[in-house]
Amino acid sequence: RAKDMGRNTFQFYQPEMNTSVGARLNLERRLRRALRDGEFLLHYQPQVDIKTGQIVGMEALVRWLDPEVGLVPPSAFIPVAEESGLIGPLSEWVLREACRQNKAWQDEGLPPARVSVNLSARQFQQRDIAKLVMSILEETGLEPQYLELELTESTIMRNAEEAVTMLAELHALGIGLAIDDFGTGYSSLSYLKRFPVDRLKIDRSFVSDIGASSDDETITSAIIALAHSLQLQVIAEGVETAAQLDFLKERACTEMQGYFFARPMPHDAIPALLQRAGTDGTRAADTVAH
Ligand code: C2E
Ligand code: MG
Ligand code: MG
Ligand code: MG
């Protein structure tokens, strides 16, 4: 910034920068408190088998219930958590809570469904992440096939060689692996074949333009075809309309997630949804207000 002002300008006071550093430190302090006082919670968004309409999984999405502000979305605090090293303890809490909750639902006799947890780039770089996942599975008693980890394409491609090893370690635990926001990064196809992943998750930016942009329709179709030819499952995120769902169905996309079916919701709304979908096969879309 100072550079932009010209070489002879020496800036020793920048109120703008000052505020943002101050705000960041303040946020960091409040996040530390949030971790200590248990102010985080998880919302869950159902993932649905497109053919049968059954809920087959749900994505755990972290929220911060800040006593001063109310419910804060992850986009407002994950980046600072990443920069300040708080992402470690936060991710560990998310993972443990998601596994614990899922096991508790199964113990209540609800139809089992997998839970997907987002792993940040920082977290994925920790060499002992597989160990942590294993110990949390043991501790909570959740069977590994009911846990899936979502890693973004850019997280994986940041260090693709190392990612192959890390993914293999995680996969060996028996958990599922999905590439999140697929299509927004640039995976080489040769790597894609070497990554032991189970599922591609088509980024919402493509899905939301189905019906509006023929380029995005082409990309969506291509990702589905790619998944089929590599024998991967494929889920579309951000499905909001019946037209989008029809488009995906026609191209044999396996699963979908989005407001059209259900928004992310508090944990206590999930049992009724699972129960309903499990017992009479009713599509929850018919039972949930959009
Ligand atoms: P993501 O993993 O791609 O999650 C999907 C996001 O899209 C969620 O936003 C979800 O609420 C939103 N979404 C789902 N369906 C629709 C739809 O039909 N329309 C629209 N407009 N949006 C939809 P959310 O919960 O705000 O999360 C944003 C991002 O924050 C996530 O993107 C993920 O990258 C990150 N995140 C969330 N929870 C965690 C976490 O526990 N750990 C880490 N490391 N990152 C997380
Ligand atoms: Mg995700
Ligand atoms: Mg996503
Ligand atoms: Mg996304």
Side-chain angles (χ1 to χ4, degrees):
R1 185 57 87 87
K3 216 169 112 195
D4 299 339
M5 310 288 291
R7 57 168 62 185
N8 295 320
T9 319
F10 191 76
Q11 291 257 305
F12 34 76
Y13 182 66
Q14 289 185 320
E16 202 183 285
M17 183 177 120
N18 221 4
T19 326
S20 76
V21 170
R24 213 205 96 158
L25 286 175
N26 184 39
L27 179 55
E28 215 179 297
R29 185 180 53 75
R30 283 157 59 224
L31 284 175
R32 252 174 244 288
R33 183 202 62 199
L35 268 169
R36 191 195 59 210
D37 297 352
E39 293 170 8
F40 291 104
L41 53 102
L42 295 182
H43 278 182
Y44 295 93
Q45 187 178 34
Q47 300 178 327
V48 178
D49 182 311
I50 288 185
K51 244 196 236 155
T52 65
Q54 297 270 330
I55 297 176
V56 285
M58 61 197 103
E59 180 172 12
L61 294 157
V62 72
R63 306 287 182 255
W64 171 22
L65 188 56
D66 182 340
E68 294 153 37
V69 179
L71 214 54
V72 185
S75 56
F77 61 87
I78 293 278
V80 171
E82 283 239 348
E83 286 163 29
S84 61
L86 290 170
I87 194 71
L90 176 58
S91 304
E92 188 173 333
W93 179 83
V94 170
L95 201 53
R96 182 173 285 112
E97 176 59 13
C99 291
R100 185 204 62 75
Q101 179 68 83
N102 197 284
K103 173 70 170 143
W105 282 329
Q106 291 186 25
D107 288 348
E108 283 170 34
L110 291 162
R114 61 164 200 270
V115 65
S116 295
V117 172
N118 293 283
L119 217 57
S120 78
R122 262 292 175 82
Q123 200 58 8
F124 186 58
Q125 280 158 9
Q126 307 282 294
R127 297 204 157 265
D128 52 0
I129 183 66
K131 245 187 224 159
L132 176 68
V133 172
M134 188 171 69
S135 75
I136 288 178
L137 288 171
E138 273 170 11
E139 177 194 321
T140 58
L142 184 71
E143 290 171 64
Q145 76 259 32
Y146 293 116
L147 175 65
E148 183 167 87
L149 297 180
E150 296 190 1
L151 295 137
T152 67
E153 189 181 9
S154 49
T155 293
I156 296 177
M157 289 308 294
R158 195 167 292 182
N159 188 345
E161 264 316 315
E162 202 173 347
V164 174
T165 314
M166 308 271 295
L167 291 170
E169 274 179 37
L170 288 167
H171 208 242
L173 301 175
I175 64 171
L177 295 171
I179 306 186
D180 205 352
D181 300 347
F182 190 80
T184 58
Y186 34 92
S187 303
S188 93
L189 296 184
S190 60
Y191 268 120
L192 204 50
K193 238 180 82 183
R194 289 178 57 206
F195 292 142
V197 297
D198 308 281
R199 193 184 316 277
L200 302 182
K201 200 163 180 186
I202 308 170
D203 191 67
R204 188 176 74 203
S205 59
F206 306 116
V207 176
S208 67
D209 277 347
I210 291 174
S213 153
S214 66
D215 282 351
D216 286 341
E217 289 181 355
T218 306
I219 292 168
T220 301
S221 302
I223 295 174
I224 296 171
L226 179 66
H228 287 323
S229 62
L230 292 173
Q231 290 172 304
L232 299 173
Q233 303 283 309
V234 57
I235 182 167
E237 71 175 13
V239 178
E240 293 186 354
T241 69
Q244 290 164 356
L245 180 58
D246 287 343
F247 180 95
L248 296 162
K249 203 184 247 171
E250 270 167 34
R251 283 155 188 81
C253 182
T254 340
E255 295 177 13
M256 69 97 144
Q257 174 182 348
Y259 294 174
F260 181 68
F261 188 84
R263 285 178 183 256
M265 53 186 81
H267 69 92
D268 54 8
I270 293 290
L273 212 57
L274 283 176
Q275 196 69 271
R276 193 129 190 178
T279 50
D280 59 12
T282 312
R283 291 194 35 194
D286 303 331
T287 67
V288 173
H290 305 310

Coordinates of all heavy atoms in Angstrom, one line a residue, residues 59 118 150 152 179-182 201-204 237 257, ligand 3:
E59 N -24.1 -32.6 5.8 CA -22.8 -31.9 5.9 C -22.9 -31.1 7.2 O -23.9 -30.4 7.5 CB -22.6 -30.9 4.8 CG -21.2 -30.1 4.9 CD -20.9 -29.3 3.7 OE1 -21.7 -29.2 2.8 OE2 -19.7 -28.9 3.6
N118 N -16.0 -30.6 6.9 CA -15.0 -29.8 6.1 C -13.6 -29.8 6.8 O -13.6 -29.5 8.0 CB -15.5 -28.4 5.9 CG -16.8 -28.4 5.0 OD1 -16.7 -28.6 3.8 ND2 -17.9 -28.3 5.7
E150 N -14.5 -33.6 3.7 CA -14.5 -32.7 2.5 C -13.3 -31.9 2.4 O -13.0 -31.1 3.4 CB -15.8 -31.9 2.5 CG -17.1 -32.6 2.4 CD -18.3 -31.7 2.1 OE1 -18.1 -30.5 1.9 OE2 -19.4 -32.3 2.0
T152 N -11.2 -29.1 -0.1 CA -11.4 -28.4 -1.4 C -10.4 -28.8 -2.4 O -9.3 -29.2 -2.0 CB -11.4 -26.9 -1.2 OG1 -10.1 -26.5 -0.9 CG2 -12.4 -26.4 -0.2
I179 N -14.0 -34.3 -2.7 CA -13.3 -33.1 -3.2 C -14.4 -32.0 -3.3 O -15.3 -32.1 -4.1 CB -12.6 -33.2 -4.5 CG1 -11.6 -34.4 -4.4 CG2 -11.9 -31.9 -4.8 CD1 -10.7 -34.5 -5.6
D180 N -14.3 -31.0 -2.4 CA -15.3 -30.0 -2.3 C -15.0 -28.9 -3.3 O -13.9 -28.7 -3.8 CB -15.2 -29.4 -0.9 CG -16.5 -28.7 -0.4 OD1 -17.4 -28.6 -1.2 OD2 -16.5 -28.3 0.8
D181 N -16.0 -28.1 -3.7 CA -15.9 -27.0 -4.6 C -15.2 -27.4 -5.9 O -14.4 -26.7 -6.4 CB -15.1 -25.8 -3.9 CG -15.8 -25.3 -2.7 OD1 -17.0 -25.7 -2.5 OD2 -15.1 -24.6 -1.9
F182 N -15.5 -28.6 -6.3 CA -14.8 -29.1 -7.5 C -15.2 -28.3 -8.8 O -16.3 -27.9 -9.0 CB -15.2 -30.6 -7.7 CG -14.3 -31.2 -8.8 CD1 -13.0 -31.7 -8.5 CD2 -14.7 -31.4 -10.1 CE1 -12.2 -32.2 -9.4 CE2 -13.9 -31.9 -11.1 CZ -12.6 -32.3 -10.7
K201 N -17.6 -33.1 -5.5 CA -18.7 -32.2 -5.1 C -18.7 -31.0 -6.0 O -17.8 -30.1 -5.9 CB -18.5 -31.8 -3.6 CG -19.8 -31.3 -3.0 CD -19.7 -31.3 -1.5 CE -21.0 -30.8 -0.9 NZ -20.9 -30.6 0.5
I202 N -19.7 -30.9 -6.9 CA -19.7 -29.9 -7.9 C -20.0 -28.5 -7.3 O -21.0 -28.4 -6.5 CB -20.8 -30.1 -9.0 CG1 -20.7 -31.5 -9.6 CG2 -20.8 -29.0 -10.1 CD1 -21.9 -31.9 -10.4
D203 N -19.1 -27.5 -7.5 CA -19.3 -26.3 -6.8 C -20.6 -25.6 -7.2 O -21.1 -25.6 -8.3 CB -18.1 -25.3 -7.2 CG -18.1 -24.1 -6.3 OD1 -17.8 -24.3 -5.1 OD2 -18.3 -23.0 -6.8
R204 N -21.1 -24.9 -6.2 CA -22.4 -24.2 -6.3 C -22.4 -23.2 -7.4 O -23.4 -22.9 -8.0 CB -22.6 -23.5 -5.0 CG -24.0 -22.9 -4.9 CD -24.2 -22.3 -3.5 NE -23.5 -21.1 -3.4 CZ -23.1 -20.6 -2.2 NH1 -23.3 -21.2 -1.1 NH2 -22.4 -19.4 -2.2
E237 N -23.8 -29.3 -5.1 CA -24.1 -28.5 -4.0 C -24.9 -27.2 -4.5 O -24.7 -26.8 -5.6 CB -22.9 -28.1 -3.2 CG -21.9 -27.1 -3.9 CD -20.8 -26.7 -3.0 OE1 -20.5 -27.3 -1.9 OE2 -20.1 -25.7 -3.4
Q257 N -27.5 -31.6 -2.7 CA -27.6 -30.9 -1.5 C -27.9 -29.4 -1.8 O -27.4 -28.9 -2.8 CB -26.2 -30.9 -0.8 CG -26.0 -30.2 0.5 CD -24.6 -30.3 1.0 OE1 -23.8 -31.1 0.6 NE2 -24.3 -29.4 2.0
Ligands
MG3 MG -18.8 -27.0 -1.1

